[in-house]
Amino acid sequence: MTTEPASEAPLLPAGPADRHFDYCLQPYRPRTTTRGKARSENLLWHALDACGLSAARPALHALQDALGRDMTVWGWKFDGKQNWVELYFYDPQKEDVRASVPGLKEILAPHLALTPEVPDWVRYMMVSFDLKPETFETGVVDEVNLYLTGTDEHAGRSYRVRGGEARLDNTYRFLPPKQEIDTVLSLLQSSMFIDYDTSPTVLSKVLIPNLFACKRICIAKKQQSDGVYYSGIDIDQLLWFLKAFHYPAPIQAFVRRHKVRFEHLFFDVGIDTRQHPDKRIHYPKSSFYGTL
């Protein structure tokens, strides 16, 4: 039987009221029974403590209390040196003012100042922002990302808003990997950052075989890299991902230790990719996701 270290808090258990969403707040059916399992937010709380970001806890609890459980998506980001968390809030029909920029400002006010201003007429379907160690030194979130709805003909777009100015940050498109493999490959190979003719192995280092068995793939075109997101992977694939992309040892150990408690969940991961001048592929940033 797996035992917990004496210093580790008990896991928050899964329960009948839990809602299971992917990183786009699309619902899914759990892979197994939820009896005896744990919520995905346990990964976030442990990662915060393990990486010196415990100061985020009060703000996160305030958001969870205001918006409801499972309605905030978190993404744990790692660039090989720094760890941080990005929070995502969906409200495509603008039905809940609390999930808008003004609503989030109000919720966070006792903990952090969310300073960007966004005109009411902007039809964003999601807003996100980063929480980094320096966020809690300044007490200010001075940048948000706004996501505008995409269609098959017009990819989704995100804009970075800071200091009253907005700039296009990336475009993205979601696809079922097997049914739309030709489109996936076409989007990947239309790249400013990767020469797919370098060698036959380049494609497998971008479209990673260990993660291809997933529900959806998202291809993103960013300012300084390309991104591939794999939605709907299982706990074994998540463990492979954490090891392959060199996540901090305490995070890897926590997931291994509680693998059985998380086996009912589907996870989502993302990987940014570009090519060095010497033609080697490298990964500037990666991320994994859950709900709060």
Side-chain angles (χ1 to χ4, degrees):
M1 178 181 295
T2 301
T3 59
E4 297 179 355
S7 60
E8 187 173 285
L11 299 188
L12 297 170
D18 289 355
R19 293 167 289 186
H20 296 89
F21 298 121
D22 68 9
Y23 71 156
C24 295
L25 276 194
Q26 295 296 309
Y28 68 82
R29 186 185 299 275
R31 297 181 64 250
T32 68
T33 177
T34 60
R35 188 178 300 113
K37 306 304 184 185
R39 290 173 52 79
S40 69
E41 69 178 275
N42 289 287
L43 278 69
L44 174 61
W45 300 125
H46 182 270
L48 290 170
D49 293 342
C51 297
L53 275 166
S54 298
R57 280 179 171 266
L60 292 173
H61 283 302
L63 290 164
Q64 188 181 48
D65 290 344
L67 298 170
R69 281 170 48 141
D70 304 307
M71 297 306 295
T72 300
V73 173
W74 55 264
W76 190 264
K77 308 300 177 86
F78 182 51
D79 64 5
K81 295 180 180 178
Q82 187 179 44
N83 292 266
W84 71 96
V85 64
E86 185 171 0
L87 303 176
Y88 303 81
F89 306 90
Y90 289 83
D91 187 24
Q93 304 303 321
K94 292 201 170 183
E95 297 171 309
D96 187 350
V97 69
R98 294 168 298 179
S100 68
V101 172
L104 295 169
K105 284 177 184 277
E106 184 176 346
I107 295 168
L108 289 170
H111 312 284
L112 295 166
L114 185 67
T115 60
E117 298 292 338
V118 177
D120 289 341
W121 54 263
V122 178
R123 297 181 179 179
Y124 58 92
M125 48 80 69
M126 180 177 72
V127 58
S128 75
F129 54 82
D130 292 334
L131 297 180
K132 297 183 174 182
E134 53 266 34
T135 306
F136 301 97
E137 295 172 3
T138 63
V140 175
V141 176
D142 58 7
E143 184 174 273
V144 299
N145 305 297
L146 300 182
Y147 299 77
L148 278 65
T149 304
T151 66
D152 288 343
E153 293 76 26
H154 193 165
R157 291 129 23 239
S158 76
Y159 293 82
R160 188 167 296 186
V161 180
R162 182 187 179 101
E165 296 184 351
R167 67 177 185 181
L168 182 65
D169 199 41
N170 75 64
T171 65
Y172 54 91
R173 186 170 172 186
F174 293 92
L175 295 157
K178 293 181 180 179
Q179 297 94 314
E180 299 285 350
I181 186 60
D182 289 341
T183 305
V184 169
L185 294 176
S186 176
L187 289 170
L188 284 176
Q189 292 169 346
S190 177
S191 176
M192 281 292 298
F193 304 109
I194 298 170
D195 177 5
Y196 284 88
D197 293 330
T198 301
S199 81
T201 65
V202 169
L203 179 59
S204 67
K205 293 178 180 177
V206 178
L207 189 62
I208 297 176
N210 302 70
L211 301 172
F212 188 75
C214 64
K215 294 184 177 182
R216 285 198 304 171
I217 277 182
C218 176
I219 308 298
K221 299 298 181 178
K222 305 186 179 186
Q223 291 189 345
Q224 297 183 14
S225 64
D226 292 338
V228 183
Y229 295 78
Y230 304 84
S231 180
I233 65 171
D234 63 26
I235 187 65
D236 289 313
Q237 290 172 295
L238 177 64
L239 281 165
W240 179 90
F241 164 84
L242 295 174
K243 182 178 180 180
F245 291 91
H246 310 293
Y247 275 75
I251 294 178
Q252 294 190 49
F254 178 81
V255 179
R256 282 197 306 270
R257 189 161 58 248
H258 299 295
K259 173 184 171 180
V260 173
R261 301 287 301 276
F262 296 125
E263 66 182 359
H264 65 301
L265 298 170
F266 283 105
F267 296 92
D268 313 297
V269 301
I271 303 162
D272 287 359
T273 310
R274 63 176 296 145
Q275 202 165 27
H276 280 303
D278 66 5
K279 301 301 183 180
R280 288 182 299 123
I281 300 297
H282 77 115
Y283 308 101
K285 183 186 72 176
S286 65
S287 49
F288 65 94
Y289 299 83
T291 58
L292 180 63

